[in-house]
Amino acid sequence: MALVRLLVLSVLHVSLIGCQHAQSSHQVSSPHHPEGEQSPLGVDNLSFPWSRLRLPRYIIPLHYRLLLHPNLTGLSFNGSVQIQIDVQNNTNWVVLHSKSLQIFSATILDQNLTHLSDQVLPVLHNPSHEQIGIFSPRVLSSGQKYSLYIEFGAELSEGFYGFYKSTYRTSTGGIRTLASTHFEPTSARMAFPCFDEPTFKANFSVRIRRSPEYISLSNMPVVKTVEVSAGLLEDQFAPSVKMSTYLVAFVICDFKSVTATTSSGVQVSIYAAPEKWRQTHYALEVAVKMLDFYEEYFNIRYPLPKQDLIAIPDFQSGAMENWGLTTYRETSLLFDPLTSSVSDKLWVTMVIGHELAHQWFGNMVTMDWWNDIWLNEGFARYMEYISVEATYPDLKVEEYLLYTCFAAIGHDSLNSSRPISSPADNPTQIKEMFDTVSYDKGACVLHMLRHFLTDEVFQSGIVRYLRKFSYRNARNQDLWDSLPYSTNRVYSFIFCLLMLCFRFLSCIFCSFRHSLFSIHFIMMPIWEHLDLTAMMNTWTLQKGIPLITVTRKGSRLILRQDRFLRTVLPSDPLWPTLFLWHIPLTYKTDASSTIHRHLMTTHTDSIHIGEEVTWVKVNADMTGYYVVHYEDGGWDGMAKLLRENHTMCAYVFVAGHLPINKALDLIGYLRLETHTVPLLQGLGYLESFYQMIEKRNEHDMYILRFFRAVIDQQTWSDSGSVSERRLRSEVLSLACHLNDPPCVEQARHNFKEWLQSNGTLNLPTDVAETVYSVGAQDDHGWASLLHTYNVSLSEAQKNKILYALTCSRDTNKLQRLLELGLEGKVIRLQDLSGLIQMVARNPRGHHLAWNFVKKNWDLLVQKFQLGSSCIRNILITTTHQFSSLEDLAEVQLFFESIKEHASRLRATQLVLDNLQKNVRWIQRNLETLRSWLTEQMK
């Protein structure tokens, strides 16, 4: 430990920034200093007082009074913050967070706002921990409250974190600038000195100075605007509720808004750049509906008087849940009926549902530390589906939940996965927690738990959890403690009602007494003996997904659970055996329409089903987060059943250790399928095979033959239900990608008409991307699309065009797109990671994209930050389809060359695991796949 301390001290840059900063007439003024101000205290004998990444617990912030004055011309800001603190141990030091801020001065005042010292206090910096320490020569006494006053300044950030600049282009070509914030998870410290950890909740009173041509927004409404001087106004916002620093937000812009009011009186406003104002109306409708729904579902009033939703032109993630001022990427909030598809509409609806769910899950009740971020994100992801299903049932959002769980399974079946609740100490590790595991697996596990406990028990339990921990922080255990309480109360209440019935009606219904008691004793043991903590710890504290192997032996089902890994087989020495889950199984047989339930808590188990049963489907309702494998001909029976009557079973998820020819035989029934979900899942399954062989120039038309009937049924329109429209978009896109002559001919015809109309013709939104993609194959079409991309005011249309541009078979054009993305003018920097992914999906572009990442790695890390979702997605998507030993060696060599970064990223191991999985898949399945396809094409 002494060596560690010595090492820390040796790298610290201990500095004192004096108070020589010359204040302008607009600079924030400090509290009055006593007469005879002396020079700063010496720091020669001071060293930084704190060596840990987490702040000390003995100083608690209570209230921030924050004043900011951004300069949108000079792209900088000055400010001051007065933090009321509660001291719980005697100390001479206040340690808090600050990153990239210049500290002009720091003072400490007592409760009467009298300075504790007549000298400027020393400010020591620990850049590696993003902390500053302020030394008080007078001891701060335990049990007393003080005010810490700091003046500071900085440049507006160039990236997407902290207090950063954004710009947008008007239709006349002018460039307008705005300033916005994004603090989650650890970037509030880039905007003002603060205790930047989620447990340090406090109230915030914000003031913002601005020019009259701008407006300012923050978490709370403006209560007063005063004129500070000629041409300078100050907006004063109402004090906030108690919240974490990462939820503080402010925006200075010249946007327009639309406004409506919820049934409980909350004012909802949607803000966007003036020329995109007409694209805000759908979001307003959704936000009002969602707030009304959540207030009823959670039975807790939304605690703020307003909710603003604003579309920020430069935004790295999809959206951010700042309390009362949610910020969005434009594609996540704006909806243009002329260019936005039904999938775009669903996306906007789901993102708004997600962020507004956070106003309760995350904002009102916040995880204790970032290791449990899933308590925020998993719940918000799951509430997307619950809220959209309730408010917009026509969007069929339940279908998307299956895709979410399929994505989680794909990630979780690699050894590089992690537990839902994982250690996260430094900012890079914390950023990496915002991944598929926290969001998608978290949502799927909650879905399984909800169906296990029933809707009513689940809802009443989370309401209790929200009420108990409002304006506080919570951990996993707090949630599990809330749910059984509700469960026991529900069933105790039922039992009490039954007993009352027996007491008053026994003489009439005595003959039924035994049967009613039987009902009670059937129900009660499930809940009385359920250890929900033990059960859910198996899902949140260990990584992976269970594989249930099912064997039929006479009247019984024999069950075995193992961890499912796609990189090994049960016969391999590396097959894991030490994993055990408490699994709420469901199963269905041909003997009845009942879905049976069984809790499996051991490695092996058995269930009596009866001799008369012909077939059994485990995970019958598709709510379980586990993979099923049938041994001893079980899959053959399933395939026969589906061919004979494909409506007898719900969706079948084909994964695991089924030989590829058996898997392809099983999904052969899709020729008869009419439901969107299995069709799209099967299509994706076949397409993944095609992508493997496509790179080997083994272009096979089997997929076109397989889906011929489905393709021929499609129209080039926006007619039909949401499910039909989504299927049309996917099927026609694949058909044209595979050069299906009728598809390509129709797309070329539509593209020609669109070009000749000079923008007066609007393509059907669901097929526009496919039409653009075909049109982009010649030079004139590609250039025309790039021009339209540059001038379009619809982000939905621009997304479709960008995808189409990356479909070019000309590698020079693909390279140009990557360079435009890195430059950040024509293609915004926020879209670069998505652009790289699109190029990597193109068979002509996957090595091009990878080489681009290798060449520009340092620039990419500088622009997006190590550990961010953008860096993770760039690494994963550019290598996702690599499947040769040469590819594997090349990736390993690159990771070795960036060892300092690679060693800090969980994503690098995920990349290598996925690559090894692909290599083994090719080795095991390529020849079988070739033979199977050859046989099918006869």
Side-chain angles (χ1 to χ4, degrees), residues 42 87 93 308 357 401 507 545 590-591 604 644-645 676 724 884:
V87 176
W93 288 95
D308 296 334
L401 181 56
C507 60
I545 179 170
D590 61 333
T604 58
E644 292 175 354
N645 189 346
T676 303
E724 292 167 342
S884 71

Side-chain angles (χ1 to χ4, degrees), residues 380-391:
R381 173 59 54 88
Y382 188 44
M383 291 308 301
E384 291 176 30
Y385 302 102
I386 294 177
S387 63
V388 176
E389 186 177 21
T391 54

Side-chain angles (χ1 to χ4, degrees), residues 185-199:
T186 60
S187 293
R189 64 194 69 173
M190 296 174 66
F192 59 100
C194 57
F195 297 80
D196 199 14
E197 295 178 9
T199 54

Side-chain angles (χ1 to χ4, degrees), residues 355 365 428 458 476 562 579 636 658 669 686 736 830 837:
E355 303 311 324
V365 179
T428 297
F458 180 82
N476 274 349
D562 303 279
F579 289 80
D636 293 332
L658 191 64
Y669 90 95
L686 289 172
C736 282
Q830 68 171 12
Q837 177 180 352

Side-chain angles (χ1 to χ4, degrees), residues 574-707:
L574 296 177
W575 182 253
T577 58
L578 299 178
F579 289 80
L580 176 68
W581 287 266
H582 292 189
I583 307 171
L585 296 174
T586 61
Y587 64 96
K588 183 179 179 181
T589 74
D590 61 333
S592 74
S593 59
T594 302
I595 293 180
H596 303 275
R597 302 184 182 278
H598 176 76
L599 184 63
M600 182 179 183
T601 60
T602 54
H603 283 102
T604 58
D605 204 347
S606 68
I607 301 173
H608 178 80
I609 58 172
E611 296 281 357
E612 71 282 2
V613 168
T614 304
W615 57 261
V616 179
K617 183 179 184 297
V618 179
N619 201 7
D621 55 1
M622 293 298 288
T623 61
Y625 186 74
Y626 50 87
V627 176
V628 180
H629 174 57
Y630 299 93
E631 284 191 336
D632 298 337
W635 282 117
D636 293 332
M638 190 70 68
K640 182 176 183 293
L641 170 68
L642 290 169
R643 285 193 299 269
E644 292 175 354
N645 189 346
H646 68 278
T647 63
M648 287 296 292
C649 286
Y651 322 130
V652 176
F653 177 62
V654 181
H657 308 290
L658 191 64
I660 189 170
N661 55 334
K662 293 283 188 182
L664 290 166
D665 285 341
L666 184 63
I667 64 172
Y669 90 95
L670 287 173
R671 289 186 176 93
L672 309 171
E673 183 60 77
T674 58
H675 198 288
T676 303
V677 172
L679 270 173
L680 287 177
Q681 190 62 28
L683 187 150
Y685 192 59
L686 289 172
E687 189 176 7
S688 66
F689 292 159
Y690 178 79
Q691 289 170 347
M692 290 288 191
I693 62 175
E694 185 179 28
K695 296 178 179 62
R696 290 165 171 76
N697 297 315
E698 300 181 28
H699 297 280
D700 195 285
M701 291 297 102
Y702 174 69
I703 296 179
L704 288 177
R705 178 187 292 186
F706 190 91
F707 284 100

Side-chain angles (χ1 to χ4, degrees), residues 637-907:
M638 190 70 68
K640 182 176 183 293
L641 170 68
L642 290 169
R643 285 193 299 269
E644 292 175 354
N645 189 346
H646 68 278
T647 63
M648 287 296 292
C649 286
Y651 322 130
V652 176
F653 177 62
V654 181
H657 308 290
L658 191 64
I660 189 170
N661 55 334
K662 293 283 188 182
L664 290 166
D665 285 341
L666 184 63
I667 64 172
Y669 90 95
L670 287 173
R671 289 186 176 93
L672 309 171
E673 183 60 77
T674 58
H675 198 288
T676 303
V677 172
L679 270 173
L680 287 177
Q681 190 62 28
L683 187 150
Y685 192 59
L686 289 172
E687 189 176 7
S688 66
F689 292 159
Y690 178 79
Q691 289 170 347
M692 290 288 191
I693 62 175
E694 185 179 28
K695 296 178 179 62
R696 290 165 171 76
N697 297 315
E698 300 181 28
H699 297 280
D700 195 285
M701 291 297 102
Y702 174 69
I703 296 179
L704 288 177
R705 178 187 292 186
F706 190 91
F707 284 100
R708 183 78 268 160
V710 179
I711 294 170
D712 291 343
Q713 291 170 6
Q714 305 308 315
T715 62
W716 293 72
S717 68
D718 283 340
S719 62
S721 67
V722 170
S723 297
E724 292 167 342
R725 293 175 65 181
R726 289 185 51 243
L727 180 64
R728 173 187 305 132
S729 178
E730 295 291 335
V731 167
L732 291 179
S733 175
L734 179 61
C736 282
H737 175 70
L738 297 179
N739 291 314
D740 180 45
C743 183
V744 172
E745 182 181 350
Q746 184 64 52
R748 283 176 178 161
H749 172 74
N750 289 8
F751 185 74
K752 183 179 179 181
E753 286 189 335
W754 176 75
L755 274 183
Q756 291 174 345
S757 74
N758 290 322
T760 60
L761 174 68
N762 291 304
L763 291 168
T765 59
D766 299 325
V767 297
E769 186 174 272
T770 298
V771 172
Y772 294 147
S773 298
V774 172
Q777 296 309 315
D778 64 64
D779 291 345
H780 176 64
W782 197 89
S784 300
L785 284 166
L786 185 59
H787 171 74
T788 304
Y789 178 89
N790 199 26
V791 300
S792 175
L793 291 176
S794 167
E795 290 299 312
Q797 182 186 41
K798 293 180 74 165
N799 263 11
K800 295 175 179 61
I801 291 175
L802 187 59
Y803 176 82
L805 291 170
T806 64
C807 291
S808 173
R809 296 179 177 87
D810 185 339
T811 55
N812 291 326
K813 289 184 172 64
L814 299 179
Q815 183 65 43
R816 184 184 173 196
L817 288 173
L818 291 171
E819 291 168 357
L820 288 173
L822 192 63
E823 182 185 54
K825 294 180 181 178
V826 175
I827 300 173
R828 288 183 180 273
L829 185 62
Q830 68 171 12
D831 298 316
L832 178 56
S833 65
L835 170 66
I836 294 171
Q837 177 180 352
M838 293 175 195
V839 173
R841 288 183 61 184
N842 186 330
R844 306 282 181 94
H846 68 283
H847 278 294
L848 192 71
W850 172 242
N851 290 332
F852 175 83
V853 171
K854 291 192 296 182
K855 178 182 176 181
N856 297 287
W857 174 255
D858 289 335
L859 265 177
L860 293 172
V861 171
Q862 177 185 332
K863 292 178 182 296
F864 294 119
Q865 295 195 0
L866 199 66
S868 68
S869 59
C870 282
I871 291 296
R872 180 173 63 249
N873 290 338
I874 286 170
L875 286 175
I876 292 172
T877 57
T878 52
T879 59
H880 186 69
Q881 295 179 30
F882 286 0
S883 57
S884 71
L885 289 171
E886 292 77 14
D887 291 333
L888 176 59
E890 182 181 335
V891 172
Q892 288 173 325
L893 186 63
F894 174 66
F895 286 167
E896 185 63 30
S897 72
I898 59 164
K899 191 172 183 178
E900 183 183 351
H901 286 161
S903 63
R904 295 159 58 192
L905 289 173
R906 186 182 291 113

Side-chain angles (χ1 to χ4, degrees), residues 261-278:
T261 305
T262 69
S263 58
S264 62
V266 178
Q267 181 176 295
V268 179
S269 300
I270 315 294
Y271 288 84
E275 291 176 306
K276 298 180 180 180
W277 174 79
R278 295 186 181 278

